[in-house]
Structure formats: structure tokens, C-alpha cells
Amino acid sequence: MASVPSTHVYVRHLRPPEGPSPFVHLPDPDPDHPSRSTTSKWWPPVMLRPEWAATAEFDVFHVQFGFDACSPQDLERLVEVLRERGKPLVLTAHDLRNPHHPTRELHDQQLGVLLTAADAVVTLTKGAAAEIRRRWGREALVIPHPHVVELDTMARLRREREQRRTDEFRVGVHIKSLRESMDPFPVLRVLDETLAELPGAVLQVNGHHDVLDADGARREPVLAAWLEEKAAAGRIDLRVHDFLPDAQLWEYLASLDVAVLPYRFGTHSGWLEACRDLGTTVVAPSCGYYADQGPVLSYGFDESHFDADSLREAIRFAHAARPDHGADVEERRAQRREVTLAHARLYRELLT
């Protein structure tokens, strides 16, 4: 299988958790040396180059991520090559709105090429499948997102959470490098006011140096100044760092009681799935299909409105009830087996 990319955690977890896999993913070619495979660097995806698809040996071409590196015209050329070779094309539609694009037009054009040409379409939720049916007239196979955190790490951090004895209620907002879909300021203001009223509540905000440092290349001065002022007053636990390696990221997420997603548009979230792996309650916006992925607490937020009251209610409920909306290790192990079987059936159907 030429799965674009093969090293992404989502794609790796399409294979079974143990034992032989019914399909094999080709390794990602190194973008700097396409004749070599790579285990970490896959961007921009070499497999999406028409010249690679014209000569490589594979049975099925499965696009997952990375096509935003290609123009619609590049994707049309890729589709022509696959048709000429008689190679089935599968698209898993993770994002119906690109979280890195300020507007949707380009991503719609890219999706349109792939959705029109695909021999099979997969997506993660019924809500996304309904949108695909409505907008493009295609029926998508719904296969849920597998776990993100490795199962042994998930088990260890779950045990540590159960053994933790504290009255603290820690709520996290991770603004990263402020991609286009994020609008954290109204969310943070409400959280600051709400948590000040709740016993033991702590608001932790993590962000990258590029948006929060005084000399950061993408500094957001108003947001950064507000966070610095609140941190100096002891109202916010502010953590500034660069991209976290997986081990540190999982430790951080497992340390939270609640993770709030400050998105004004989007579709699905691997971050949400990692939180579910670790037993961290997710407070998710009403945009996209986050609530279709699994149990979350929802609040109203999209490109046209922000419902502050619903966010306050979600946080107060989480503080009072301390819900566990996560999936345990055995649930995730069984789900991953089902995800593997669903993909194996799909590939066999396309090749018969």
C-alpha cells in the first residue's frame, strides 16, 4: 500500500497491535533523496508526485495527509497517472476544512479533485460522512480513529493517574503556534474568570516560543502580554516551549483533568483522541465533528459565534463531576483490530 504518509501515527495504527498485518505500507521516500526511505521526515510527500506514482510498485494508493502541499492541478496529474496504471485510489477525509488555511477555497478544490476521482472514500465520523454526501455526492465508509498514544504508554499513564492524590483541578489550553483555526483569547478570558471561582482550579496555558517570546517570529503581542500579566499575578500557569516530543506531550496531557480545544473551525482531532487515551476530559467546540469522535463536553464556538455561557457550564460540570470520557487500553486494542480488518476488507474489494 502506498499510504501517504506511512510514518504518521494514524497510519501506523491502522496495522494490528500485534501479529502480522494483512497489508504492508511502503516506507515514505525521503523528500531530499526520493530513492531512499525515511522514518521521520516525509514532508512534502514524495508519493504525491506524479512521477513517483508513475513508476513505483504498489497495489493501492491511499491518501491520508499531505495533499495540501499540492496544487489542484498537481493532484489532477496524479489522478491521471493512477488511472492510466489502473491503480485504485482511496482517500481518507480527515479534514473537510484545513485548520492551517484562513479560508476554505483552496482546500475545497484539493478535496474536490480527490473525492471525485477516489475509488473509495473513508472518513472518521458519521457527521463528516453526511457532509461529504451533501457536498460531493459520495458515500464515505466510516471507520473510527484508532488510539494515538502507544498502548503500553497509555496503560502506564492511566495507572499513574489513578494513583494521583490531589484536590487540584487542572485545565489546559495548548495554543501551540496559533494555527489559523485557533482563537484562544475569548476562551482564555472565560476560563480565567470561571476557574477563579472553583476550589483547587488551575489554568495551564502552553504555547510555543515563536508566538509568545518578545522576539518571536510570529509573536502575538496582545495575547502574549495578557498571558504574561496573568502569569505574573499567579492566575495562569504559563509554559513556553517549542514542539514537544511525544513522551513529554503524553506526560503533559495526562497531567491535565481537562483539555479545552480553542478551535473556531475544524473537522476531527488527533489531540482529542490522545486525551481520550489518557483519561483527560475534552471540552470541544461545536464546530466540526469532535463530539462524533467520542464523549466530550461541548461549548458553542465557530466562525460566527462564541457561547461563553456554554463554556462556563462545561467547566463547572467537569469540576463537579470529574467525568472519565476516555477509552481504556483493551477497548483501544479491540478497536484497532477492527480498524485493521475494515481496511483489509476495503483493499481486498478494490483489488478483486
Side-chain angles (χ1 to χ4, degrees), residues 35-68:
S35 62
R36 300 203 308 254
S37 65
T38 180
T39 57
S40 58
K41 182 180 179 183
W42 60 271
W43 181 275
V46 174
M47 287 186 185
L48 292 179
R49 297 176 188 173
E51 59 270 24
W52 185 92
T55 59
E57 291 300 321
F58 57 87
D59 296 304
V60 175
F61 196 91
H62 193 156
V63 179
Q64 303 272 359
F65 303 101
F67 60 86
D68 50 336

CSV table of all heavy atoms in Angstrom, one decimal, residues 35-68:
chain,number,residue,atom,x,y,z
A,35,SER,N,14.9,8.3,-3.6
A,35,SER,CA,15.2,6.9,-3.8
A,35,SER,C,15.3,6.2,-2.4
A,35,SER,O,15.4,5.0,-2.4
A,35,SER,CB,16.5,6.7,-4.6
A,35,SER,OG,17.6,7.3,-3.9
A,36,ARG,N,15.5,7.0,-1.4
A,36,ARG,CA,15.6,6.4,0.0
A,36,ARG,C,14.4,6.6,0.8
A,36,ARG,O,13.6,7.5,0.6
A,36,ARG,CB,16.8,7.1,0.7
A,36,ARG,CG,18.1,7.0,0.1
A,36,ARG,CD,19.3,7.2,1.1
A,36,ARG,NE,19.1,8.4,1.9
A,36,ARG,CZ,19.9,9.5,1.8
A,36,ARG,NH1,20.8,9.5,0.8
A,36,ARG,NH2,19.7,10.5,2.6
A,37,SER,N,14.2,5.6,1.7
A,37,SER,CA,13.0,5.7,2.6
A,37,SER,C,13.4,6.5,3.8
A,37,SER,O,14.6,6.7,4.1
A,37,SER,CB,12.5,4.4,3.0
A,37,SER,OG,13.5,3.7,3.8
A,38,THR,N,12.4,7.0,4.5
A,38,THR,CA,12.7,7.8,5.8
A,38,THR,C,11.8,7.3,6.9
A,38,THR,O,10.7,6.8,6.6
A,38,THR,CB,12.5,9.3,5.5
A,38,THR,OG1,12.8,10.0,6.7
A,38,THR,CG2,11.1,9.6,5.1
A,39,THR,N,12.2,7.5,8.1
A,39,THR,CA,11.3,7.1,9.2
A,39,THR,C,10.8,8.3,9.9
A,39,THR,O,10.0,8.1,10.9
A,39,THR,CB,12.1,6.2,10.2
A,39,THR,OG1,13.2,6.9,10.7
A,39,THR,CG2,12.5,4.9,9.5
A,40,SER,N,11.1,9.5,9.6
A,40,SER,CA,10.6,10.7,10.3
A,40,SER,C,10.3,11.8,9.3
A,40,SER,O,9.2,12.4,9.5
A,40,SER,CB,11.7,11.1,11.3
A,40,SER,OG,12.9,11.5,10.6
A,41,LYS,N,11.1,12.1,8.4
A,41,LYS,CA,10.8,13.3,7.5
A,41,LYS,C,10.0,12.8,6.3
A,41,LYS,O,10.5,12.0,5.5
A,41,LYS,CB,12.1,13.9,7.1
A,41,LYS,CG,11.9,15.2,6.2
A,41,LYS,CD,13.3,15.8,5.8
A,41,LYS,CE,13.1,17.0,4.9
A,41,LYS,NZ,14.4,17.6,4.5
A,42,TRP,N,8.8,13.3,6.1
A,42,TRP,CA,8.0,12.9,5.0
A,42,TRP,C,7.4,14.1,4.2
A,42,TRP,O,6.8,13.9,3.1
A,42,TRP,CB,6.9,11.9,5.4
A,42,TRP,CG,5.9,12.5,6.4
A,42,TRP,CD1,6.0,12.5,7.7
A,42,TRP,CD2,4.7,13.2,6.1
A,42,TRP,NE1,4.9,13.1,8.3
A,42,TRP,CE2,4.1,13.6,7.3
A,42,TRP,CE3,4.1,13.6,4.9
A,42,TRP,CZ2,2.9,14.3,7.4
A,42,TRP,CZ3,2.9,14.3,5.0
A,42,TRP,CH2,2.3,14.6,6.2
A,43,TRP,N,7.6,15.3,4.7
A,43,TRP,CA,7.0,16.4,4.1
A,43,TRP,C,8.1,17.2,3.3
A,43,TRP,O,9.2,17.3,3.7
A,43,TRP,CB,6.5,17.4,5.2
A,43,TRP,CG,5.8,18.6,4.6
A,43,TRP,CD1,6.5,19.8,4.3
A,43,TRP,CD2,4.5,18.8,4.3
A,43,TRP,NE1,5.6,20.7,3.8
A,43,TRP,CE2,4.3,20.1,3.8
A,43,TRP,CE3,3.3,18.0,4.5
A,43,TRP,CZ2,3.1,20.6,3.4
A,43,TRP,CZ3,2.1,18.5,4.1
A,43,TRP,CH2,2.0,19.8,3.5
A,44,PRO,N,7.7,17.6,2.1
A,44,PRO,CA,6.5,17.4,1.3
A,44,PRO,C,6.4,15.9,0.8
A,44,PRO,O,7.5,15.4,0.5
A,44,PRO,CB,6.5,18.4,0.2
A,44,PRO,CG,8.0,18.7,0.0
A,44,PRO,CD,8.6,18.5,1.3
A,45,PRO,N,5.3,15.3,0.7
A,45,PRO,CA,5.2,13.9,0.4
A,45,PRO,C,5.6,13.6,-1.0
A,45,PRO,O,5.0,14.0,-2.0
A,45,PRO,CB,3.7,13.6,0.6
A,45,PRO,CG,3.0,14.8,1.1
A,45,PRO,CD,3.9,16.0,0.9
A,46,VAL,N,6.7,12.8,-1.1
A,46,VAL,CA,7.2,12.4,-2.4
A,46,VAL,C,6.2,11.5,-3.1
A,46,VAL,O,6.0,11.6,-4.4
A,46,VAL,CB,8.5,11.6,-2.2
A,46,VAL,CG1,9.0,11.0,-3.6
A,46,VAL,CG2,9.6,12.5,-1.7
A,47,MET,N,5.4,10.7,-2.4
A,47,MET,CA,4.5,9.8,-3.0
A,47,MET,C,3.4,10.5,-3.9
A,47,MET,O,2.8,9.9,-4.8
A,47,MET,CB,3.8,8.9,-2.0
A,47,MET,CG,4.7,7.8,-1.4
A,47,MET,SD,3.7,6.8,-0.3
A,47,MET,CE,4.9,5.7,0.3
A,48,LEU,N,3.1,11.8,-3.5
A,48,LEU,CA,2.1,12.5,-4.3
A,48,LEU,C,2.7,13.1,-5.6
A,48,LEU,O,1.9,13.7,-6.3
A,48,LEU,CB,1.6,13.7,-3.4
A,48,LEU,CG,0.7,13.2,-2.2
A,48,LEU,CD1,0.2,14.4,-1.4
A,48,LEU,CD2,-0.5,12.4,-2.6
A,49,ARG,N,3.9,13.0,-5.8
A,49,ARG,CA,4.5,13.4,-7.1
A,49,ARG,C,4.1,12.5,-8.2
A,49,ARG,O,4.3,11.3,-8.1
A,49,ARG,CB,6.0,13.5,-7.0
A,49,ARG,CG,6.6,14.5,-6.0
A,49,ARG,CD,8.1,14.4,-5.9
A,49,ARG,NE,8.6,15.2,-4.8
A,49,ARG,CZ,9.9,15.2,-4.5
A,49,ARG,NH1,10.8,14.5,-5.1
A,49,ARG,NH2,10.3,16.0,-3.5
A,50,PRO,N,3.5,13.0,-9.3
A,50,PRO,CA,3.0,12.1,-10.4
A,50,PRO,C,4.2,11.2,-10.9
A,50,PRO,O,3.9,10.0,-11.2
A,50,PRO,CB,2.5,13.1,-11.4
A,50,PRO,CG,2.1,14.3,-10.7
A,50,PRO,CD,3.1,14.4,-9.5
A,51,GLU,N,5.4,11.7,-10.9
A,51,GLU,CA,6.5,10.9,-11.5
A,51,GLU,C,6.8,9.7,-10.5
A,51,GLU,O,7.3,8.7,-11.0
A,51,GLU,CB,7.7,11.8,-11.7
A,51,GLU,CG,8.3,12.5,-10.4
A,51,GLU,CD,7.7,13.9,-10.3
A,51,GLU,OE1,6.6,14.2,-10.7
A,51,GLU,OE2,8.4,14.7,-9.6
A,52,TRP,N,6.6,9.9,-9.2
A,52,TRP,CA,6.8,8.8,-8.3
A,52,TRP,C,5.7,7.7,-8.5
A,52,TRP,O,6.0,6.5,-8.7
A,52,TRP,CB,6.8,9.2,-6.9
A,52,TRP,CG,7.1,8.1,-5.9
A,52,TRP,CD1,8.3,7.8,-5.4
A,52,TRP,CD2,6.2,7.2,-5.3
A,52,TRP,NE1,8.2,6.7,-4.6
A,52,TRP,CE2,6.9,6.3,-4.5
A,52,TRP,CE3,4.8,7.0,-5.4
A,52,TRP,CZ2,6.3,5.3,-3.8
A,52,TRP,CZ3,4.2,6.0,-4.7
A,52,TRP,CH2,5.0,5.1,-3.9
A,53,ALA,N,4.5,8.2,-8.6
A,53,ALA,CA,3.3,7.3,-8.8
A,53,ALA,C,3.4,6.6,-10.1
A,53,ALA,O,2.8,5.5,-10.3
A,53,ALA,CB,2.0,8.0,-8.6
A,54,ALA,N,4.1,7.1,-11.1
A,54,ALA,CA,4.1,6.5,-12.4
A,54,ALA,C,5.1,5.3,-12.5
A,54,ALA,O,4.9,4.5,-13.4
A,54,ALA,CB,4.6,7.6,-13.4
A,55,THR,N,6.0,5.2,-11.5
A,55,THR,CA,7.0,4.1,-11.6
A,55,THR,C,7.1,3.2,-10.4
A,55,THR,O,7.6,2.1,-10.5
A,55,THR,CB,8.4,4.7,-11.9
A,55,THR,OG1,8.7,5.6,-10.8
A,55,THR,CG2,8.4,5.5,-13.2
A,56,ALA,N,6.5,3.7,-9.3
A,56,ALA,CA,6.7,2.9,-8.1
A,56,ALA,C,5.8,1.6,-8.1
A,56,ALA,O,4.7,1.6,-8.8
A,56,ALA,CB,6.3,3.7,-6.8
A,57,GLU,N,6.2,0.6,-7.4
A,57,GLU,CA,5.4,-0.6,-7.3
A,57,GLU,C,4.5,-0.6,-6.1
A,57,GLU,O,5.0,-0.6,-4.9
A,57,GLU,CB,6.3,-1.8,-7.2
A,57,GLU,CG,7.1,-2.1,-8.5
A,57,GLU,CD,6.1,-2.3,-9.7
A,57,GLU,OE1,5.1,-3.0,-9.5
A,57,GLU,OE2,6.4,-1.8,-10.8
A,58,PHE,N,3.2,-0.6,-6.3
A,58,PHE,CA,2.2,-0.7,-5.2
A,58,PHE,C,0.9,-1.2,-5.7
A,58,PHE,O,0.7,-1.3,-6.9
A,58,PHE,CB,2.0,0.7,-4.6
A,58,PHE,CG,1.6,1.8,-5.5
A,58,PHE,CD1,0.2,2.0,-5.8
A,58,PHE,CD2,2.5,2.6,-6.2
A,58,PHE,CE1,-0.2,2.9,-6.7
A,58,PHE,CE2,2.1,3.5,-7.1
A,58,PHE,CZ,0.7,3.7,-7.4
A,59,ASP,N,0.0,-1.6,-4.8
A,59,ASP,CA,-1.3,-2.2,-5.2
A,59,ASP,C,-2.4,-1.1,-5.1
A,59,ASP,O,-3.3,-1.0,-6.0
A,59,ASP,CB,-1.6,-3.4,-4.4
A,59,ASP,CG,-0.7,-4.5,-4.6
A,59,ASP,OD1,-0.5,-4.9,-5.7
A,59,ASP,OD2,-0.1,-5.0,-3.6
A,60,VAL,N,-2.4,-0.4,-4.0
A,60,VAL,CA,-3.4,0.6,-3.7
A,60,VAL,C,-2.7,1.9,-3.3
A,60,VAL,O,-1.8,1.9,-2.6
A,60,VAL,CB,-4.4,0.2,-2.6
A,60,VAL,CG1,-5.4,1.3,-2.3
A,60,VAL,CG2,-5.1,-1.1,-3.0
A,61,PHE,N,-3.3,3.0,-3.8
A,61,PHE,CA,-2.7,4.4,-3.4
A,61,PHE,C,-3.7,5.0,-2.5
A,61,PHE,O,-4.9,5.2,-2.8
A,61,PHE,CB,-2.6,5.2,-4.7
A,61,PHE,CG,-1.7,6.4,-4.5
A,61,PHE,CD1,-0.3,6.4,-4.7
A,61,PHE,CD2,-2.2,7.6,-4.1
A,61,PHE,CE1,0.5,7.5,-4.6
A,61,PHE,CE2,-1.4,8.8,-3.9
A,61,PHE,CZ,-0.1,8.7,-4.2
A,62,HIS,N,-3.3,5.2,-1.2
A,62,HIS,CA,-4.2,5.7,-0.2
A,62,HIS,C,-3.7,7.0,0.4
A,62,HIS,O,-2.7,7.1,1.0
A,62,HIS,CB,-4.3,4.7,1.0
A,62,HIS,CG,-5.4,4.9,1.9
A,62,HIS,ND1,-5.9,3.9,2.7
A,62,HIS,CD2,-6.1,6.0,2.3
A,62,HIS,CE1,-6.9,4.4,3.5
A,62,HIS,NE2,-7.0,5.7,3.2
A,63,VAL,N,-4.5,8.1,0.1
A,63,VAL,CA,-4.1,9.4,0.6
A,63,VAL,C,-4.7,9.7,1.9
A,63,VAL,O,-6.0,9.6,2.1
A,63,VAL,CB,-4.6,10.5,-0.5
A,63,VAL,CG1,-4.2,11.9,0.1
A,63,VAL,CG2,-4.0,10.3,-1.8
A,64,GLN,N,-3.9,10.0,2.9
A,64,GLN,CA,-4.3,10.3,4.2
A,64,GLN,C,-4.1,11.8,4.5
A,64,GLN,O,-5.1,12.6,4.8
A,64,GLN,CB,-3.6,9.5,5.3
A,64,GLN,CG,-3.7,8.0,5.1
A,64,GLN,CD,-4.9,7.4,5.8
A,64,GLN,OE1,-5.6,8.1,6.5
A,64,GLN,NE2,-5.0,6.1,5.7
A,65,PHE,N,-2.9,12.2,4.5
A,65,PHE,CA,-2.5,13.6,4.8
A,65,PHE,C,-1.5,14.1,3.8
A,65,PHE,O,-0.9,13.3,3.0
A,65,PHE,CB,-1.8,13.7,6.2
A,65,PHE,CG,-2.6,13.2,7.3
A,65,PHE,CD1,-2.4,11.9,7.8
A,65,PHE,CD2,-3.6,13.9,7.9
A,65,PHE,CE1,-3.1,11.4,8.9
A,65,PHE,CE2,-4.4,13.5,9.0
A,65,PHE,CZ,-4.1,12.2,9.5
A,66,GLY,N,-1.3,15.4,3.8
A,66,GLY,CA,-0.2,16.0,3.0
A,66,GLY,C,-0.5,16.5,1.6
A,66,GLY,O,0.3,17.2,1.0
A,67,PHE,N,-1.8,16.3,1.2
A,67,PHE,CA,-2.1,16.8,-0.2
A,67,PHE,C,-2.2,18.3,-0.2
A,67,PHE,O,-2.3,18.9,-1.3
A,67,PHE,CB,-3.3,16.1,-0.7
A,67,PHE,CG,-4.6,16.3,0.1
A,67,PHE,CD1,-5.4,17.4,-0.1
A,67,PHE,CD2,-5.0,15.4,1.0
A,67,PHE,CE1,-6.6,17.6,0.6
A,67,PHE,CE2,-6.2,15.5,1.7
A,67,PHE,CZ,-7.0,16.7,1.5
A,68,ASP,N,-2.2,19.0,1.0
A,68,ASP,CA,-2.2,20.5,0.9
A,68,ASP,C,-0.9,21.0,0.4
A,68,ASP,O,-0.8,22.2,0.2
A,68,ASP,CB,-2.6,21.0,2.3
A,68,ASP,CG,-1.7,20.5,3.4
A,68,ASP,OD1,-1.2,19.3,3.3
A,68,ASP,OD2,-1.6,21.1,4.5
